[in-house]
Amino acid sequence: MRKSGQLVDWNDDRGFGFIRDAEGERYFVHIKSISRIATRPLIGDQLDFDAGVDAQGRPRAINARIRGANPAPTRAVRSRGLPPVANEQRFDPRPWLAVGLLVLLIYDLALGLAPLWLGAGYLGIGVLSFGLYATDKHYARTNQWRISETMLHSIDLGFGIIGGLLAQSRFRHKTAKPGFALFTWCLAGLHALWLGGIAIGRIAPDDLANLLTLFG
């Protein structure tokens, strides 16, 4: 049955989102199910589509067409219309950066240059950061109240950066936002300087405790 609705959620990195029809029903839609257009789908677009279901019986939009969108030539579609596969295959430095930070941390702990509480902090808050990114990704997909970017950055700053980098890569979350990504790189660089400084003896872990007392 042909229906119409609004695109209320869209993950441009992975090329899928959700359409909500007039009755409030949500339909999953993949970029391959949308007619070729010159530009990417945007939240708020109005679409006409055929209502179907996936293998699990969940509502799915097929043969979707964005109202008012200009059709794209075949060549443009190949370069811009179907990027999810290319995006999934492109190199992502986040896991490698996370591994590098973890190696530095283990090095500092193994040589007794850093106290155990520092390792426990990176582990515990890293797990917390990973969980927050996973939760926010779920909220984005289900159109719920989101976790603020300030909160995510704050957790990453406070020893959560390894878990945050892994979560961004695993869930492809916040990776398409240049401002957020740039701030993440800055935080990762700060932690690298911190752990590297401990490794070469230029920074003492107690320096952080002394710094925190200034704000306590």
Side-chain angles (χ1 to χ4, degrees):
M1 180 174 62
R2 197 68 176 169
K3 300 178 72 71
S4 61
Q6 183 181 58
L7 189 66
V8 296
D9 184 35
W10 181 253
N11 185 320
D12 204 49
D13 262 353
R14 304 185 69 178
F16 66 78
F18 291 89
I19 302 170
R20 179 180 291 139
D21 66 9
E23 289 75 35
E25 183 75 36
R26 287 168 59 91
Y27 292 82
F28 175 86
V29 61
H30 193 274
I31 186 68
K32 292 182 180 179
S33 297
I34 299 176
S35 299
R36 295 171 176 175
I37 55 175
T39 58
R40 301 290 294 167
L42 297 173
I43 292 177
D45 283 345
Q46 297 293 325
L47 296 93
D48 298 311
F49 60 95
D50 292 329
V53 294
D54 61 15
Q56 287 75 42
R58 295 171 297 190
R60 180 186 183 97
I62 55 179
N63 301 324
R65 182 180 62 83
I66 298 177
R67 295 181 185 175
N70 295 322
T74 303
R75 184 175 181 180
V77 172
R78 289 176 179 171
S79 61
R80 299 183 59 194
L82 300 174
V85 174
N87 284 345
E88 291 176 1
Q89 294 177 346
R90 70 185 180 188
F91 174 73
D92 182 5
R94 291 172 179 82
W96 298 100
L97 185 54
V99 170
L101 292 174
L102 182 60
V103 169
L104 277 174
L105 176 62
I106 293 175
Y107 178 87
D108 292 343
L109 292 172
L111 296 185
L113 301 173
L116 291 179
W117 65 259
L118 187 64
Y122 272 102
L123 175 62
I125 302 180
V127 170
L128 173 61
S129 180
F130 191 94
L132 287 176
Y133 277 98
T135 301
D136 190 53
K137 181 69 173 185
H138 172 71
Y139 287 168
R141 287 176 172 174
T142 55
N143 201 30
Q144 298 184 57
W145 193 265
R146 303 288 301 279
I147 298 173
S148 71
E149 293 185 352
T150 300
M151 171 64 74
L152 295 174
H153 281 318
S154 298
I155 295 298
D156 286 348
L157 175 63
F159 300 147
I161 187 63
I162 295 176
L165 288 169
L166 292 175
Q168 288 182 33
S169 178
R170 170 64 179 82
F171 302 112
R172 301 303 302 167
H173 192 43
K174 301 292 187 180
T175 57
K177 303 188 69 174
F180 191 95
L182 177 60
F183 203 85
T184 296
W185 301 138
C186 291
L187 291 177
L190 184 63
H191 282 275
L193 289 174
W194 161 254
L195 294 173
I198 293 176
I200 63 176
R202 299 297 299 271
I203 298 176
D206 289 340
D207 292 341
L208 177 61
N210 295 333
L211 180 62
L212 292 177
T213 59
L214 298 176
F215 302 94

